[in-house]
Amino acid sequence: MSGIYIHIPFCKQACHYCDFHFSTSMRNSDSMVSALAKEISMRKDAMDGPVETIYLGGGTPSVLKIRDLELLIATVYENFTVSENPEITIEANPDDLNPDYLEKLARTKVNRLSIGIQSFVEEDLRMMNRAHNAAEAVNCLREATKYFGNISIDLIYGIPGMSNEQWKQNVNTALSFGIPHISSYALTVEPKTALQKLIATGKIAAPQDDAAREHFTILTELLANHGFIHYELSNFAKENYFSRNNSAYWLGKKYLGIGPSAHSYDGLSRSWNVASNPIYLKSIEKDALPSEAEILSVTDRYNEYIMTGLRTIWGISMEKVSNDFGAKYLQYLQKGSSKYVSEGLLRIDDGILTVTESGKFLTDGIAGDLFLVNLA
């Protein structure tokens, strides 16, 4: 299985918490779409298997015209072998998903929406500097569900000042629309973001771990009661609605990244495009790929497997660790994980290491502790 990720580096405005690459100027959007299509063509020999997922992320892909989205998807079909039933996802913001846009989008090959709701509470949206308001969050779902059955929404928990009851209302509002997939993340303060500056100057309170943990517990219990499977630390879905694109990442499948700042992975190496729109455009115009690459060491690949595997229901296979990385890595993992198993935070069943319910909120910390920095 292979996937193609296309990065759309434009947003209407900058969310306070975001550290992704994007521009709030749409001045070069036409040139960028042409460059993205050209890069797709330039890299037509980069994948050896059929493309099973196409994911337009960002940034905010829904700021593009429908014809631009159609061009990019058509260019993938022209240059790659695409499977008979691919998952084709577009990330979208609520303020873009008006009835006319949705009706036209439904006539394209896009068959999955990932909508950045983040919150249904007006105060939260203003604090995060989101481009949409609470009414638009509700209205877009009312309209989107008329045209698409495969919809995911993003929700953020651990927002300063958000009560447990407000968080429950957020989740229940999402459930009221019959959404089959929810991605939910704790509000994180990334370096050099507006949120970090606002907290440093005392204009916004810092997120609290205790509140985030309570929200996480509420989230997992509510969604489990509604038939959702907690298949990855931040992702919940009804059966048959797992994100095929993201699952491929977590399972170590190959993928190709198109656009400024986009990453690619072929199983042994990782490459990434320059995170600059002007440099990217100039490079593609000159028929040059603006990318760098690194060969991943055995330890790099082991650490990535630990991080991604532990976050999922598929866990970490002890047999795979032994076969792919060697006996020393297996011994290191067994020794490091033993204390967490004894504490009831990890468990081993049939040679598969997974996180227990009580350990889920601590997953990233546990994974980090199991990383191998240097193996003598």
Side-chain angles (χ1 to χ4, degrees):
M1 172 181 175
S2 300
I4 292 181
Y5 171 82
I6 304 173
H7 187 76
I8 310 301
F10 300 112
C11 286
K12 288 181 179 176
Q13 63 190 50
C15 299
H16 285 159
Y17 56 83
C18 183
D19 66 344
F20 293 162
H21 171 69
F22 64 91
S23 170
T24 54
S25 171
M26 295 288 291
R27 186 174 62 252
N28 295 319
S29 61
D30 290 342
S31 297
M32 180 60 69
V33 171
S34 296
L36 292 171
K38 184 175 179 179
E39 187 190 355
I40 293 170
S41 301
M42 291 168 66
R43 304 185 72 178
K44 63 183 179 181
D45 297 322
M47 304 183 79
D48 54 9
V51 173
E52 296 196 2
T53 65
I54 302 171
Y55 193 101
L56 291 96
T60 311
S62 57
V63 299
L64 294 184
K65 304 177 184 69
I66 295 294
R67 68 169 182 265
D68 293 331
L69 301 174
E70 289 181 311
L71 170 65
L72 294 173
I73 295 170
T75 306
V76 172
Y77 272 81
E78 290 166 6
N79 289 276
F80 295 88
T81 300
V82 180
S83 67
E84 186 176 344
N85 183 33
E87 175 189 87
I88 303 180
T89 303
I90 175 177
E91 290 183 350
N93 275 352
D95 46 301
D96 297 321
L97 297 181
N98 57 62
D100 180 62
Y101 193 92
L102 281 164
E103 182 180 3
K104 292 175 180 176
L105 188 63
R107 294 201 294 265
T108 71
K109 290 183 180 295
V110 171
N111 53 30
R112 184 175 185 270
L113 299 183
S114 177
I115 306 175
I117 297 291
Q118 313 310 354
S119 178
F120 293 98
V121 180
E122 195 68 46
E123 293 77 11
D124 297 341
L125 296 172
R126 284 200 297 267
M127 184 276 290
M128 292 185 283
N129 201 40
R130 295 291 293 167
H132 68 279
N133 58 41
E136 287 171 322
V138 171
N139 289 337
C140 89
L141 290 180
R142 185 176 295 122
E143 293 298 322
T145 50
K146 296 177 183 178
Y147 297 96
F148 291 88
N150 195 352
I151 297 176
S152 175
I153 69 168
D154 288 356
L155 292 175
I156 293 179
Y157 60 88
I159 296 173
M162 178 186 283
S163 68
N164 288 349
E165 188 56 38
Q166 283 178 315
W167 176 236
K168 287 179 184 177
Q169 291 175 2
N170 254 341
V171 179
N172 282 324
T173 299
L175 291 170
S176 71
F177 288 97
I179 302 301
H181 189 288
I182 294 175
S183 296
S184 191
Y185 311 89
L187 181 65
T188 303
V189 185
E190 301 292 351
K192 300 180 180 179
T193 58
L195 180 60
Q196 184 190 48
K197 294 177 183 177
L198 290 167
I199 291 173
T201 56
K203 295 179 181 178
I204 293 178
Q208 299 298 312
D209 285 346
D210 288 346
R213 184 194 287 264
E214 289 182 15
H215 292 175
F216 181 78
T217 300
I218 290 168
L219 174 72
T220 56
E221 291 178 353
L222 265 177
L223 294 186
N225 291 338
H226 283 80
F228 281 75
I229 300 167
H230 193 181
Y231 72 105
E232 193 272 342
L233 182 61
S234 301
N235 288 271
F236 307 77
K238 293 291 185 72
E239 191 171 356
N240 299 322
Y241 284 96
F242 292 7
S243 167
R244 288 160 55 187
N245 176 81
N246 292 350
S247 295
Y249 292 158
W250 301 319
L251 292 170
K253 305 294 185 180
K254 299 177 183 179
Y255 57 88
L256 179 64
I258 302 293
S261 81
H263 284 59
S264 302
Y265 174 69
D266 66 4
L268 296 176
S269 67
R270 190 176 306 285
S271 63
W272 57 93
N273 286 346
V274 63
S276 165
N277 288 7
I279 295 175
Y280 174 83
L281 289 171
K282 289 178 182 178
S283 182
I284 295 297
E285 184 181 0
K286 296 177 180 177
D287 299 323
L289 292 174
S291 64
E292 298 180 55
E294 64 174 345
I295 303 297
L296 299 175
S297 67
V298 175
T299 299
D300 291 334
R301 290 187 283 116
Y302 164 83
N303 287 342
E304 287 199 9
Y305 179 55
I306 296 301
M307 172 57 78
T308 56
L310 212 57
R311 289 177 63 96
T312 71
I313 59 173
W314 303 290
I316 297 169
S317 165
M318 295 297 192
E319 182 180 5
K320 178 178 174 63
V321 171
S322 179
N323 292 340
D324 292 4
F325 311 113
K328 288 186 177 180
Y329 287 85
L330 177 60
Q331 292 167 7
Y332 181 87
L333 176 60
Q334 289 173 326
K335 181 178 179 180
S337 62
S338 61
K339 66 176 180 179
Y340 293 110
V341 172
S342 64
E343 292 171 0
L345 301 177
L346 295 178
R347 63 169 169 264
I348 300 178
D349 293 315
D350 296 326
I352 303 296
L353 183 70
T354 56
V355 180
T356 64
E357 282 299 319
S358 57
K360 281 184 177 178
F361 187 75
L362 305 172
T363 298
D364 286 345
I366 295 172
D369 196 33
L370 298 179
F371 286 173
L372 198 151
V373 177
N374 185 29
L375 183 61

